[in-house]
Amino acid sequence: MDSVQPLSFELATRKNYLVWIESVLFAVINVAAFFGNLSVCYAVYRNQRLRTLSNMFVVALAVSDILMSTCCMPFSVATLFRGKWIFGETFCRFHGFGVFTFGLASLHTMVLRDRFGMNWNQGLWLASGLFLEVFV
């Protein structure tokens, strides 16, 4: 717990220009992550030729990143802007759990991509299982 105090003090005592720069940059990254990953999902949905086993892993990765950008990153932007966590201890635990599980799902998807010689249906089941891993 002692190592958390200097970090929270540093976050709370930043200069105003740093608060704005960090908050705006992180918000731009959040919006780019959401729309970029949404466009990946849309491209695979619209184009039949993109529905390959490898791209199912890319879609699973994109879905995990979309969930990260909608469920976790906006609260991080607010924390950067305010200089402290304003959402309570219970939601702090939920936020930490979300960041950990969505990040873990992304990592597993990247590691397992192209590791298996399966047909398309088996790959779809595996990618769905990786997505559901987040909620188990």
Side-chain angles (χ1 to χ4, degrees):
M1 191 69 147
D2 293 333
S3 63
V4 174
Q5 294 302 327
L7 292 175
S8 76
F9 178 74
E10 186 177 328
L11 185 65
T13 58
R14 294 171 297 157
K15 298 190 187 289
N16 280 343
Y17 73 91
L18 282 178
V19 170
W20 280 99
I21 289 172
E22 291 173 353
S23 300
V24 168
L25 284 176
F26 203 73
V28 167
I29 290 169
N30 186 16
V31 170
F34 178 76
F35 286 112
N37 287 300
L38 196 63
S39 66
V40 167
C41 293
Y42 182 72
V44 172
Y45 171 75
R46 293 290 291 171
N47 192 339
Q48 184 76 25
R49 293 182 310 158
L50 292 177
R51 295 180 194 171
T52 64
L53 176 60
S54 294
N55 284 347
M56 288 302 107
F57 287 106
V58 173
V59 168
L61 180 62
V63 168
S64 175
D65 290 345
I66 287 170
L67 290 171
M68 177 78 85
S69 69
T70 56
C71 297
C72 300
M73 288 174 70
F75 303 104
S76 298
V77 171
T79 301
L80 278 175
F81 186 72
R82 294 292 301 259
K84 62 181 180 177
W85 183 260
I86 59 173
F87 302 106
E89 185 176 339
T90 302
F91 193 76
C92 180
R93 293 177 186 269
F94 171 76
H95 183 265
F97 174 77
V99 168
F100 177 75
T101 53
F102 296 141
L104 190 63
S106 294
L107 180 65
H108 283 167
T109 303
M110 288 185 285
V111 168
L112 293 175
R113 188 182 176 266
D114 294 332
R115 291 272 182 185
F116 300 97
M118 302 180 210
N119 64 32
W120 191 85
N121 287 330
Q122 290 171 328
L124 182 61
W125 280 105
L126 182 62
S128 300
L130 289 173
F131 173 72
L132 291 175
E133 172 191 9
V134 171
F135 298 106
V136 175

